PDB file of all heavy atoms in Angstrom:
ATOM      1  N   GLY A1060      -9.568  -0.391 -54.886  1.00  0.00           N
ATOM      2  CA  GLY A1060      -9.683  -0.308 -53.432  1.00  0.00           C
ATOM      3  C   GLY A1060      -9.373  -1.662 -52.753  1.00  0.00           C
ATOM      4  O   GLY A1060      -8.677  -1.736 -51.757  1.00  0.00           O
ATOM      5  N   LEU A1061      -9.879  -2.748 -53.340  1.00  0.00           N
ATOM      6  CA  LEU A1061      -9.628  -4.070 -52.765  1.00  0.00           C
ATOM      7  C   LEU A1061      -8.121  -4.424 -52.825  1.00  0.00           C
ATOM      8  O   LEU A1061      -7.597  -5.014 -51.853  1.00  0.00           O
ATOM      9  CB  LEU A1061     -10.470  -5.121 -53.463  1.00  0.00           C
ATOM     10  CG  LEU A1061     -11.992  -4.983 -53.291  1.00  0.00           C
ATOM     11  CD1 LEU A1061     -12.728  -6.040 -54.123  1.00  0.00           C
ATOM     12  CD2 LEU A1061     -12.388  -5.114 -51.849  1.00  0.00           C
ATOM     13  N   ILE A1062      -7.505  -4.094 -53.943  1.00  0.00           N
ATOM     14  CA  ILE A1062      -6.058  -4.379 -54.069  1.00  0.00           C
ATOM     15  C   ILE A1062      -5.270  -3.583 -53.040  1.00  0.00           C
ATOM     16  O   ILE A1062      -4.377  -4.126 -52.361  1.00  0.00           O
ATOM     17  CB  ILE A1062      -5.594  -4.043 -55.509  1.00  0.00           C
ATOM     18  CG1 ILE A1062      -6.208  -5.017 -56.512  1.00  0.00           C
ATOM     19  CG2 ILE A1062      -4.070  -4.096 -55.613  1.00  0.00           C
ATOM     20  CD1 ILE A1062      -6.013  -4.635 -57.948  1.00  0.00           C
ATOM     21  N   GLN A1063      -5.582  -2.294 -52.907  1.00  0.00           N
ATOM     22  CA  GLN A1063      -4.871  -1.467 -51.944  1.00  0.00           C
ATOM     23  C   GLN A1063      -5.130  -1.922 -50.512  1.00  0.00           C
ATOM     24  O   GLN A1063      -4.236  -1.928 -49.671  1.00  0.00           O
ATOM     25  CB  GLN A1063      -5.301   0.005 -52.128  1.00  0.00           C
ATOM     26  CG  GLN A1063      -4.872   0.590 -53.449  1.00  0.00           C
ATOM     27  CD  GLN A1063      -5.377   2.014 -53.625  1.00  0.00           C
ATOM     28  OE1 GLN A1063      -6.454   2.330 -53.119  1.00  0.00           O
ATOM     29  NE2 GLN A1063      -4.663   2.803 -54.404  1.00  0.00           N
ATOM     30  N   LEU A1064      -6.379  -2.291 -50.215  1.00  0.00           N
ATOM     31  CA  LEU A1064      -6.704  -2.726 -48.874  1.00  0.00           C
ATOM     32  C   LEU A1064      -5.971  -4.015 -48.522  1.00  0.00           C
ATOM     33  O   LEU A1064      -5.432  -4.198 -47.423  1.00  0.00           O
ATOM     34  CB  LEU A1064      -8.222  -2.937 -48.784  1.00  0.00           C
ATOM     35  CG  LEU A1064      -8.831  -3.389 -47.418  1.00  0.00           C
ATOM     36  CD1 LEU A1064      -8.436  -2.380 -46.339  1.00  0.00           C
ATOM     37  CD2 LEU A1064     -10.293  -3.601 -47.510  1.00  0.00           C
ATOM     38  N   ALA A1065      -5.945  -4.961 -49.504  1.00  0.00           N
ATOM     39  CA  ALA A1065      -5.195  -6.211 -49.273  1.00  0.00           C
ATOM     40  C   ALA A1065      -3.720  -5.953 -49.042  1.00  0.00           C
ATOM     41  O   ALA A1065      -3.091  -6.576 -48.186  1.00  0.00           O
ATOM     42  CB  ALA A1065      -5.416  -7.154 -50.442  1.00  0.00           C
ATOM     43  N   ALA A1066      -3.161  -5.036 -49.794  1.00  0.00           N
ATOM     44  CA  ALA A1066      -1.731  -4.708 -49.622  1.00  0.00           C
ATOM     45  C   ALA A1066      -1.477  -4.123 -48.253  1.00  0.00           C
ATOM     46  O   ALA A1066      -0.464  -4.394 -47.635  1.00  0.00           O
ATOM     47  CB  ALA A1066      -1.286  -3.766 -50.731  1.00  0.00           C
ATOM     48  N   GLY A1067      -2.364  -3.272 -47.837  1.00  0.00           N
ATOM     49  CA  GLY A1067      -2.196  -2.666 -46.507  1.00  0.00           C
ATOM     50  C   GLY A1067      -2.338  -3.654 -45.351  1.00  0.00           C
ATOM     51  O   GLY A1067      -1.554  -3.633 -44.428  1.00  0.00           O
ATOM     52  N   LEU A1068      -3.318  -4.542 -45.463  1.00  0.00           N
ATOM     53  CA  LEU A1068      -3.483  -5.580 -44.438  1.00  0.00           C
ATOM     54  C   LEU A1068      -2.334  -6.531 -44.434  1.00  0.00           C
ATOM     55  O   LEU A1068      -1.978  -7.104 -43.383  1.00  0.00           O
ATOM     56  CB  LEU A1068      -4.792  -6.319 -44.671  1.00  0.00           C
ATOM     57  CG  LEU A1068      -6.096  -5.498 -44.485  1.00  0.00           C
ATOM     58  CD1 LEU A1068      -7.299  -6.317 -44.866  1.00  0.00           C
ATOM     59  CD2 LEU A1068      -6.209  -5.029 -42.986  1.00  0.00           C
ATOM     60  N   ALA A1069      -1.687  -6.766 -45.607  1.00  0.00           N
ATOM     61  CA  ALA A1069      -0.537  -7.640 -45.699  1.00  0.00           C
ATOM     62  C   ALA A1069       0.746  -6.922 -45.302  1.00  0.00           C
ATOM     63  O   ALA A1069       1.860  -7.503 -45.374  1.00  0.00           O
ATOM     64  CB  ALA A1069      -0.409  -8.235 -47.095  1.00  0.00           C
ATOM     65  N   ARG A1070       0.633  -5.631 -44.949  1.00  0.00           N
ATOM     66  CA  ARG A1070       1.785  -4.827 -44.497  1.00  0.00           C
ATOM     67  C   ARG A1070       2.857  -4.770 -45.555  1.00  0.00           C
ATOM     68  O   ARG A1070       4.064  -5.002 -45.319  1.00  0.00           O
ATOM     69  CB  ARG A1070       2.344  -5.352 -43.189  1.00  0.00           C
ATOM     70  CG  ARG A1070       1.276  -5.486 -42.082  1.00  0.00           C
ATOM     71  CD  ARG A1070       1.866  -5.974 -40.780  1.00  0.00           C
ATOM     72  NE  ARG A1070       2.713  -4.974 -40.188  1.00  0.00           N
ATOM     73  CZ  ARG A1070       2.258  -3.988 -39.418  1.00  0.00           C
ATOM     74  NH1 ARG A1070       0.968  -3.857 -39.152  1.00  0.00           N
ATOM     75  NH2 ARG A1070       3.116  -3.110 -38.869  1.00  0.00           N
ATOM     76  N   LEU A1071       2.434  -4.421 -46.798  1.00  0.00           N
ATOM     77  CA  LEU A1071       3.376  -4.335 -47.900  1.00  0.00           C
ATOM     78  C   LEU A1071       3.791  -2.901 -48.171  1.00  0.00           C
ATOM     79  O   LEU A1071       4.295  -2.568 -49.244  1.00  0.00           O
ATOM     80  CB  LEU A1071       2.738  -4.919 -49.164  1.00  0.00           C
ATOM     81  CG  LEU A1071       2.315  -6.375 -49.085  1.00  0.00           C
ATOM     82  CD1 LEU A1071       1.736  -6.848 -50.418  1.00  0.00           C
ATOM     83  CD2 LEU A1071       3.481  -7.265 -48.717  1.00  0.00           C
ATOM     84  N   GLY A1072       3.634  -2.004 -47.212  1.00  0.00           N
ATOM     85  CA  GLY A1072       3.977  -0.584 -47.404  1.00  0.00           C
ATOM     86  C   GLY A1072       5.394  -0.405 -47.775  1.00  0.00           C
ATOM     87  O   GLY A1072       5.724   0.490 -48.593  1.00  0.00           O
ATOM     88  N   GLY A1073       6.299  -1.205 -47.238  1.00  0.00           N
ATOM     89  CA  GLY A1073       7.739  -1.035 -47.547  1.00  0.00           C
ATOM     90  C   GLY A1073       8.056  -1.337 -49.025  1.00  0.00           C
ATOM     91  O   GLY A1073       9.038  -0.805 -49.551  1.00  0.00           O
ATOM     92  N   LEU A1074       7.266  -2.235 -49.645  1.00  0.00           N
ATOM     93  CA  LEU A1074       7.575  -2.603 -51.015  1.00  0.00           C
ATOM     94  C   LEU A1074       7.390  -1.460 -51.994  1.00  0.00           C
ATOM     95  O   LEU A1074       8.013  -1.431 -53.050  1.00  0.00           O
ATOM     96  CB  LEU A1074       6.691  -3.795 -51.457  1.00  0.00           C
ATOM     97  CG  LEU A1074       6.952  -5.143 -50.761  1.00  0.00           C
ATOM     98  CD1 LEU A1074       6.023  -6.194 -51.268  1.00  0.00           C
ATOM     99  CD2 LEU A1074       8.411  -5.544 -50.932  1.00  0.00           C
ATOM    100  N   VAL A1075       6.512  -0.505 -51.651  1.00  0.00           N
ATOM    101  CA  VAL A1075       6.306   0.629 -52.530  1.00  0.00           C
ATOM    102  C   VAL A1075       7.582   1.420 -52.748  1.00  0.00           C
ATOM    103  O   VAL A1075       7.800   1.999 -53.789  1.00  0.00           O
ATOM    104  CB  VAL A1075       5.172   1.518 -51.977  1.00  0.00           C
ATOM    105  CG1 VAL A1075       4.963   2.729 -52.845  1.00  0.00           C
ATOM    106  CG2 VAL A1075       3.887   0.739 -51.869  1.00  0.00           C
ATOM    107  N   SER A1076       8.426   1.400 -51.739  1.00  0.00           N
ATOM    108  CA  SER A1076       9.686   2.167 -51.831  1.00  0.00           C
ATOM    109  C   SER A1076      10.625   1.578 -52.881  1.00  0.00           C
ATOM    110  O   SER A1076      11.589   2.253 -53.287  1.00  0.00           O
ATOM    111  CB  SER A1076      10.387   2.169 -50.500  1.00  0.00           C
ATOM    112  OG  SER A1076       9.548   2.746 -49.503  1.00  0.00           O
ATOM    113  N   PHE A1077      10.407   0.318 -53.322  1.00  0.00           N
ATOM    114  CA  PHE A1077      11.262  -0.270 -54.303  1.00  0.00           C
ATOM    115  C   PHE A1077      11.065   0.301 -55.702  1.00  0.00           C
ATOM    116  O   PHE A1077      11.855   0.081 -56.589  1.00  0.00           O
ATOM    117  CB  PHE A1077      11.103  -1.775 -54.322  1.00  0.00           C
ATOM    118  CG  PHE A1077      11.848  -2.488 -53.241  1.00  0.00           C
ATOM    119  CD1 PHE A1077      11.227  -2.788 -52.031  1.00  0.00           C
ATOM    120  CD2 PHE A1077      13.175  -2.840 -53.395  1.00  0.00           C
ATOM    121  CE1 PHE A1077      11.925  -3.417 -51.004  1.00  0.00           C
ATOM    122  CE2 PHE A1077      13.851  -3.471 -52.407  1.00  0.00           C
ATOM    123  CZ  PHE A1077      13.276  -3.771 -51.186  1.00  0.00           C
ATOM    124  N   VAL A1078       9.929   0.941 -55.933  1.00  0.00           N
ATOM    125  CA  VAL A1078       9.648   1.515 -57.202  1.00  0.00           C
ATOM    126  C   VAL A1078      10.472   2.766 -57.381  1.00  0.00           C
ATOM    127  O   VAL A1078      10.418   3.700 -56.547  1.00  0.00           O
ATOM    128  CB  VAL A1078       8.175   1.839 -57.403  1.00  0.00           C
ATOM    129  CG1 VAL A1078       7.914   2.429 -58.781  1.00  0.00           C
ATOM    130  CG2 VAL A1078       7.338   0.579 -57.208  1.00  0.00           C
ATOM    131  N   SER A1079      11.256   2.855 -58.445  1.00  0.00           N
ATOM    132  CA  SER A1079      12.170   3.979 -58.676  1.00  0.00           C
ATOM    133  C   SER A1079      11.389   5.293 -58.749  1.00  0.00           C
ATOM    134  O   SER A1079      10.305   5.339 -59.343  1.00  0.00           O
ATOM    135  CB  SER A1079      12.950   3.747 -59.944  1.00  0.00           C
ATOM    136  OG  SER A1079      13.632   4.903 -60.319  1.00  0.00           O
ATOM    137  N   HIS A1080      11.990   6.303 -58.198  1.00  0.00           N
ATOM    138  CA  HIS A1080      11.387   7.651 -58.298  1.00  0.00           C
ATOM    139  C   HIS A1080      11.293   8.092 -59.746  1.00  0.00           C
ATOM    140  O   HIS A1080      10.408   8.825 -60.153  1.00  0.00           O
ATOM    141  CB  HIS A1080      12.233   8.654 -57.495  1.00  0.00           C
ATOM    142  CG  HIS A1080      11.742  10.050 -57.588  1.00  0.00           C
ATOM    143  ND1 HIS A1080      10.523  10.480 -57.070  1.00  0.00           N
ATOM    144  CD2 HIS A1080      12.279  11.157 -58.153  1.00  0.00           C
ATOM    145  CE1 HIS A1080      10.376  11.767 -57.326  1.00  0.00           C
ATOM    146  NE2 HIS A1080      11.437  12.200 -57.974  1.00  0.00           N
ATOM    147  N   SER A1081      12.214   7.623 -60.557  1.00  0.00           N
ATOM    148  CA  SER A1081      12.218   7.965 -61.978  1.00  0.00           C
ATOM    149  C   SER A1081      10.984   7.451 -62.676  1.00  0.00           C
ATOM    150  O   SER A1081      10.510   8.026 -63.690  1.00  0.00           O
ATOM    151  CB  SER A1081      13.482   7.437 -62.673  1.00  0.00           C
ATOM    152  OG  SER A1081      14.648   7.961 -62.088  1.00  0.00           O
ATOM    153  N   VAL A1082      10.428   6.300 -62.198  1.00  0.00           N
ATOM    154  CA  VAL A1082       9.224   5.753 -62.789  1.00  0.00           C
ATOM    155  C   VAL A1082       8.068   6.740 -62.624  1.00  0.00           C
ATOM    156  O   VAL A1082       7.356   7.048 -63.573  1.00  0.00           O
ATOM    157  CB  VAL A1082       8.870   4.410 -62.134  1.00  0.00           C
ATOM    158  CG1 VAL A1082       7.530   3.915 -62.627  1.00  0.00           C
ATOM    159  CG2 VAL A1082       9.953   3.388 -62.427  1.00  0.00           C
ATOM    160  N   MET A1083       7.899   7.272 -61.402  1.00  0.00           N
ATOM    161  CA  MET A1083       6.808   8.189 -61.186  1.00  0.00           C
ATOM    162  C   MET A1083       7.011   9.517 -61.916  1.00  0.00           C
ATOM    163  O   MET A1083       6.073  10.111 -62.412  1.00  0.00           O
ATOM    164  CB  MET A1083       6.629   8.430 -59.693  1.00  0.00           C
ATOM    165  CG  MET A1083       6.001   7.304 -58.953  1.00  0.00           C
ATOM    166  SD  MET A1083       4.380   6.782 -59.639  1.00  0.00           S
ATOM    167  CE  MET A1083       3.419   8.255 -59.425  1.00  0.00           C
ATOM    168  N   THR A1084       8.259   9.949 -62.005  1.00  0.00           N
ATOM    169  CA  THR A1084       8.540  11.206 -62.714  1.00  0.00           C
ATOM    170  C   THR A1084       8.147  11.067 -64.182  1.00  0.00           C
ATOM    171  O   THR A1084       7.515  11.945 -64.764  1.00  0.00           O
ATOM    172  CB  THR A1084      10.045  11.552 -62.579  1.00  0.00           C
ATOM    173  OG1 THR A1084      10.386  11.718 -61.228  1.00  0.00           O
ATOM    174  CG2 THR A1084      10.361  12.857 -63.338  1.00  0.00           C
ATOM    175  N   ALA A1085       8.588   9.945 -64.810  1.00  0.00           N
ATOM    176  CA  ALA A1085       8.309   9.726 -66.219  1.00  0.00           C
ATOM    177  C   ALA A1085       6.823   9.423 -66.447  1.00  0.00           C
ATOM    178  O   ALA A1085       6.212   9.931 -67.411  1.00  0.00           O
ATOM    179  CB  ALA A1085       9.146   8.589 -66.732  1.00  0.00           C
ATOM    180  N   PHE A1086       6.240   8.638 -65.539  1.00  0.00           N
ATOM    181  CA  PHE A1086       4.833   8.324 -65.700  1.00  0.00           C
ATOM    182  C   PHE A1086       3.970   9.597 -65.597  1.00  0.00           C
ATOM    183  O   PHE A1086       3.019   9.755 -66.392  1.00  0.00           O
ATOM    184  CB  PHE A1086       4.426   7.337 -64.594  1.00  0.00           C
ATOM    185  CG  PHE A1086       2.959   6.997 -64.567  1.00  0.00           C
ATOM    186  CD1 PHE A1086       2.441   6.070 -65.444  1.00  0.00           C
ATOM    187  CD2 PHE A1086       2.065   7.662 -63.718  1.00  0.00           C
ATOM    188  CE1 PHE A1086       1.066   5.761 -65.450  1.00  0.00           C
ATOM    189  CE2 PHE A1086       0.739   7.383 -63.692  1.00  0.00           C
ATOM    190  CZ  PHE A1086       0.213   6.435 -64.554  1.00  0.00           C
ATOM    191  N   THR A1087       4.278  10.442 -64.659  1.00  0.00           N
ATOM    192  CA  THR A1087       3.531  11.687 -64.511  1.00  0.00           C
ATOM    193  C   THR A1087       3.705  12.569 -65.718  1.00  0.00           C
ATOM    194  O   THR A1087       2.735  13.189 -66.185  1.00  0.00           O
ATOM    195  CB  THR A1087       3.995  12.448 -63.245  1.00  0.00           C
ATOM    196  OG1 THR A1087       3.885  11.559 -62.134  1.00  0.00           O
ATOM    197  CG2 THR A1087       3.161  13.652 -62.990  1.00  0.00           C
ATOM    198  N   ALA A1088       4.907  12.613 -66.280  1.00  0.00           N
ATOM    199  CA  ALA A1088       5.127  13.402 -67.475  1.00  0.00           C
ATOM    200  C   ALA A1088       4.314  12.871 -68.658  1.00  0.00           C
ATOM    201  O   ALA A1088       3.705  13.630 -69.408  1.00  0.00           O
ATOM    202  CB  ALA A1088       6.606  13.439 -67.824  1.00  0.00           C
ATOM    203  N   ALA A1089       4.308  11.522 -68.801  1.00  0.00           N
ATOM    204  CA  ALA A1089       3.554  10.918 -69.878  1.00  0.00           C
ATOM    205  C   ALA A1089       2.038  11.166 -69.710  1.00  0.00           C
ATOM    206  O   ALA A1089       1.301  11.463 -70.661  1.00  0.00           O
ATOM    207  CB  ALA A1089       3.806   9.416 -69.950  1.00  0.00           C
ATOM    208  N   ALA A1090       1.576  11.074 -68.443  1.00  0.00           N
ATOM    209  CA  ALA A1090       0.167  11.371 -68.167  1.00  0.00           C
ATOM    210  C   ALA A1090      -0.168  12.784 -68.500  1.00  0.00           C
ATOM    211  O   ALA A1090      -1.244  13.116 -69.033  1.00  0.00           O
ATOM    212  CB  ALA A1090      -0.137  11.092 -66.691  1.00  0.00           C
ATOM    213  N   ALA A1091       0.758  13.713 -68.210  1.00  0.00           N
ATOM    214  CA  ALA A1091       0.520  15.153 -68.498  1.00  0.00           C
ATOM    215  C   ALA A1091       0.406  15.380 -69.978  1.00  0.00           C
ATOM    216  O   ALA A1091      -0.499  16.131 -70.440  1.00  0.00           O
ATOM    217  CB  ALA A1091       1.694  15.969 -67.943  1.00  0.00           C
TER     218      ALA A1091
END
C-alpha cells in the first residue's frame, strides 16, 4: 500500500503503461 500510494502521489501512473502486455499475460498464466 505504501509503495502504491507513493507512486500515485508522485504521479507515476503513466509509467505503468511501459510494462509490456505480454508480461501480464505470461505472469497470469504462470500464476494460474
Side-chain angles (χ1 to χ4, degrees):
L1061 293 176
I1062 292 170
Q1063 293 175 332
L1064 182 59
L1068 293 174
R1070 306 181 70 84
L1071 300 181
L1074 292 180
V1075 177
S1076 301
F1077 279 93
V1078 180
S1079 169
H1080 177 66
S1081 300
V1082 173
M1083 285 306 297
T1084 300
F1086 176 81
T1087 305

